[in-house]
Amino acid sequence: MKEHRKVSISEKRNTCILWTTAISDIINPASNRIGGISVQMYFWANTFMKNGWDVHSFYSDKNTTSFDTEGIIFHKDFVTHLWSAVLYLFFTLYIFIKVKPNLIITRGGTNRNLFFISFVAKCFKTTTVHFIASDKELTLRNGTLANNINRSCFLKGIRNTKFIVAQNEFQEAQLLSLFNRKSLIIPNIWGVVKNDNIYNIKNTDVLWVANIKSLKRPTWVFDLAKKMPNFTFTIIGGDMEHSLFDTCNREADSLPNLHFLGAKSFRETNEYFKHCRLFLCTSEYEGFPNTFLQAWSNNVPIISTVNPNKVLESHNTGIFCQTIEELSSAIDKCLTDNNLYHEKAEAIGNYFTYTHAATTGYNKLINYIKIAY
């Protein structure tokens, strides 16, 4: 990547920094740390570039050299430890002086650096926007000193950030209740995914995709596979909790109708979405899962234990369940009732294009912050 791009003065291009290292995880084929923040920030970066912005972001891998394969200008992030966290203030100041951004966008997590970013942005009178990711983001409690300090700085950063974007009505109400702050709701966007069609993938009835960790409840998929031997299940997920990942890997060997594939790249995973009949979500909580959009972009109905904005019922895009028994019943119903299945697939097409198109989200955001290119 080239860290500098020559732009003529006459172009007067607006400049946006997506303050995250997550985009580099999408672009770097060696990375297995692909989550919701990675996907959304990647799509937002491409949307801003299509609308004439220069886009900057960060990378953090020690062995990753800077690269610019898709037009994003990457900078090496500055990593600090707990007691040297204040040094990030000076790094942030350096980036602002170097890039001179019109807009800063952050997303998700309990990152203490939001405090420093929002402080410097105020000094430079730069517009800042924070996107809330998870429903638990504003209330999640931690027990260690380091996490409590991080959280305190993060919440101060929220208070200092001028514009907040929520994914759903619950997050909007939560922000108003906790901070007396109003927000704009923009459901997650979805851009164009380049598919190479080179993967030799077996068709599957039910696909489950998430990082392997307890709150995603991957063991529920094994329970369902045991209860429903006539249907095939595929699990894709990176190793985020090693003992749980190993347990899933071992148990998959005893189930002929379940395929445990481990981590896959973003584009590889999309090929599996193209060849499944249903997408299954078993999470305890989410914000608005990107996997929902990945499923709907391929006209795949969803069976899920989370239901942001009640979209599964209100737009007939899937079925909301709360127990393993309800999940089993819903899967069986969708896969054996052709009329029901095609009704949901058709409803997805009508809903998805209007609600989650990247252009729609971009226009809402620009109107909200009133920056015109």
Side-chain angles (χ1 to χ4, degrees):
M1 176 219 69
K2 301 174 183 177
E3 285 206 8
H4 303 276
R5 176 187 291 130
K6 293 182 179 179
V7 179
S8 67
I9 295 175
S10 62
E11 286 184 308
K12 296 181 180 179
R13 296 168 67 90
N14 278 336
T15 300
C16 172
I17 300 180
L18 301 182
W19 210 292
T20 180
T21 60
I23 297 174
S24 63
D25 291 330
I26 288 279
I27 297 173
N28 180 6
S31 175
N32 65 353
R33 299 191 307 271
I34 298 174
I37 292 176
S38 306
V39 174
Q40 281 302 299
M41 293 295 249
Y42 173 75
F43 282 142
W44 276 108
N46 279 280
T47 302
F48 273 97
M49 287 190 292
K50 287 177 182 177
N51 283 276
W53 292 64
D54 284 331
V55 174
H56 295 246
S57 194
F58 300 91
Y59 69 94
S60 61
D61 296 80
K62 293 181 180 179
N63 298 321
T64 300
T65 56
S66 53
F67 51 92
D68 187 15
T69 59
E70 305 202 18
I72 303 168
I73 304 170
F74 285 92
H75 306 269
K76 181 74 180 261
D77 196 19
F78 181 69
V79 180
T80 60
H81 301 290
L82 177 62
W83 303 115
S84 61
V86 71
L87 294 177
Y88 206 86
L89 175 64
F90 298 98
F91 172 73
T92 304
L93 182 62
Y94 162 74
I95 291 295
F96 270 75
I97 293 172
K98 179 180 180 181
V99 177
K100 299 178 176 63
N102 303 93
L103 176 65
I104 302 294
I105 294 179
T106 61
R107 183 182 180 93
T110 53
N111 189 343
R112 65 175 177 246
N113 296 333
L114 182 60
F115 172 72
F116 304 115
I117 296 166
S118 62
F119 175 79
V120 175
K122 272 194 170 183
C123 295
F124 280 78
K125 297 182 179 179
T126 301
T127 301
T128 55
V129 181
H130 179 75
F131 283 73
I132 301 173
S134 168
D135 286 355
K136 297 289 186 179
E137 179 179 316
L138 301 177
T139 58
L140 192 63
R141 301 296 175 186
N142 298 295
T144 68
L145 174 63
N147 283 337
N148 285 332
I149 291 175
N150 289 346
R151 176 170 176 74
S152 177
C153 289
F154 168 72
L155 293 179
K156 285 182 172 65
I158 287 285
R159 293 185 179 95
N160 288 335
T161 300
K162 186 172 183 180
F163 298 103
I164 306 292
V165 174
Q167 296 183 65
N168 54 53
E169 294 170 359
F170 174 80
Q171 293 177 358
E172 180 186 45
Q174 191 180 53
L175 185 73
L176 186 62
S177 173
L178 293 173
F179 299 95
N180 196 28
R181 294 283 306 276
K182 293 183 178 180
S183 59
L184 173 71
I185 293 180
I186 300 180
N188 281 352
I189 63 170
W190 196 258
V192 176
V193 181
K194 298 175 184 177
N195 295 309
D196 298 327
N197 296 318
I198 61 174
Y199 305 105
N200 182 22
I201 303 166
K202 296 180 181 179
N203 290 335
T204 189
D205 292 316
V206 182
L207 176 66
W208 184 98
V209 178
N211 287 317
I212 304 298
K213 49 187 178 181
S214 300
L215 70 89
K216 306 292 186 179
R217 299 190 292 207
T219 56
W220 283 33
V221 188
F222 290 89
D223 293 337
L224 288 165
K226 292 172 185 175
K227 290 169 65 73
M228 312 180 79
N230 294 329
F231 297 119
T232 57
F233 294 77
T234 297
I235 292 179
I236 295 176
D239 183 357
M240 300 298 286
E241 291 183 19
H242 191 62
S243 61
L244 180 59
F245 186 90
D246 282 349
T247 298
C248 291
N249 204 11
R250 286 194 305 271
E251 190 165 351
D253 291 336
S254 64
L255 292 170
N257 64 327
L258 188 145
H259 307 284
F260 184 80
L261 305 181
K264 294 288 181 183
S265 73
F266 177 62
R267 292 192 175 96
E268 280 181 297
T269 301
N270 198 59
E271 289 294 321
Y272 285 88
F273 274 99
K274 289 174 64 177
H275 292 85
C276 72
R277 299 176 67 192
L278 291 175
F279 175 68
L280 173 65
C281 172
T282 56
S283 297
E284 293 179 20
Y285 57 85
E286 296 278 358
F288 201 115
N290 288 293
T291 46
F292 279 29
L293 305 185
Q294 205 162 8
W296 289 333
S297 69
N298 291 287
N299 266 28
V300 175
I302 294 170
I303 310 297
S304 173
T305 54
V306 298
N307 190 16
N309 294 336
K310 299 182 180 178
V311 68
L312 299 181
E313 289 98 350
S314 60
H315 293 280
N316 198 25
T317 57
I319 300 177
F320 172 57
C321 306
Q322 294 179 292
T323 66
I324 292 177
E325 289 70 26
E326 290 178 358
L327 290 171
S328 176
S329 176
I331 290 170
D332 183 74
K333 190 173 182 180
C334 272
L335 294 181
T336 57
D337 186 337
N338 288 332
N339 290 333
L340 175 66
Y341 185 89
H342 290 298
E343 176 187 305
K344 291 188 179 299
E346 184 176 349
I348 288 168
N350 296 331
Y351 159 77
F352 178 77
T353 303
Y354 175 77
T355 306
H356 296 286
T359 300
T360 301
Y362 173 82
N363 289 335
K364 285 183 179 179
L365 180 64
I366 295 302
N367 288 333
Y368 178 49
I369 62 180
K370 295 180 175 61
I371 288 183
Y373 175 70

